Amino acid sequence: MKVPVSVFVKPVDGPGLLFMRLILVCISLTSFIATLYGGNIQQAYVFGGITLALAVLFAIQASRALRPRSPILLEPQSLVAEGRRVNTHEIEEIRRWGKFGRDVIGIKLQGRFDVPAHLTFRFRDEEGMEALSSWAEARNIAFTRKSFVRWM
């Protein structure tokens, strides 16, 4: 593979998952309001903090899920994802996790426990999976079916 190959991807988090997170924020907000009107100020502070944290996480995840993803560029000596270049010697392994055609791909870097958010994605079609697996095989990068930890 001498010529860079462009592979189209889509976000990991779909609308169903975002809707469930929105419900969690609403439940937490309801608990906050109920404890505030109930007169228990200490519990209101706790529920307020939880509501704020959930709302911030929801906003971050919604912005990541709703923005269009740029295609991944498979180059001879590197991979470009979300405008960030990762050299092949920095990649420890490529992990595939999921079932029923909804596999999530995570590219684990050397010396890291988690998979960075910009290296976590799903392919729009099966051709992307084939291109990535042949690219990894040509560079002796392990392509395994294994779960992984991702940050947000």
Side-chain angles (χ1 to χ4, degrees), residues 9-12 64 67-71 82 117-118 120-121 124:
V9 297
K10 57 186 178 179
V12 175
R64 284 186 182 163
R67 72 180 155 94
R69 299 286 303 255
S70 61
E82 295 295 318
H118 72 281
T120 306
F121 50 87
R124 286 189 182 169

Side-chain angles (χ1 to χ4, degrees), residues 24-37:
L24 277 175
V25 171
C26 291
I27 290 170
S28 179
L29 182 62
T30 304
S31 299
F32 169 69
I33 292 170
T35 55
L36 190 63
Y37 282 119

Side-chain angles (χ1 to χ4, degrees), residues 20-36 43-56 58:
M20 295 302 289
R21 289 184 178 137
L22 181 62
I23 288 174
L24 277 175
V25 171
C26 291
I27 290 170
S28 179
L29 182 62
T30 304
S31 299
F32 169 69
I33 292 170
T35 55
L36 190 63
Q43 278 186 344
Y45 281 132
V46 171
F47 280 119
I50 291 171
T51 303
L52 182 65
L54 287 174
V56 167
F58 172 76

Side-chain angles (χ1 to χ4, degrees), residues 56-92:
V56 167
L57 287 175
F58 172 76
I60 290 170
Q61 291 169 339
S63 68
R64 284 186 182 163
L66 298 177
R67 72 180 155 94
R69 299 286 303 255
S70 61
I72 291 181
L73 190 62
L74 302 173
E75 297 178 341
Q77 294 302 317
S78 63
L79 176 138
V80 179
E82 295 295 318
R84 300 179 194 171
R85 183 176 306 278
V86 178
N87 293 323
T88 55
H89 62 81
E90 297 173 9
I91 299 173
E92 183 176 326

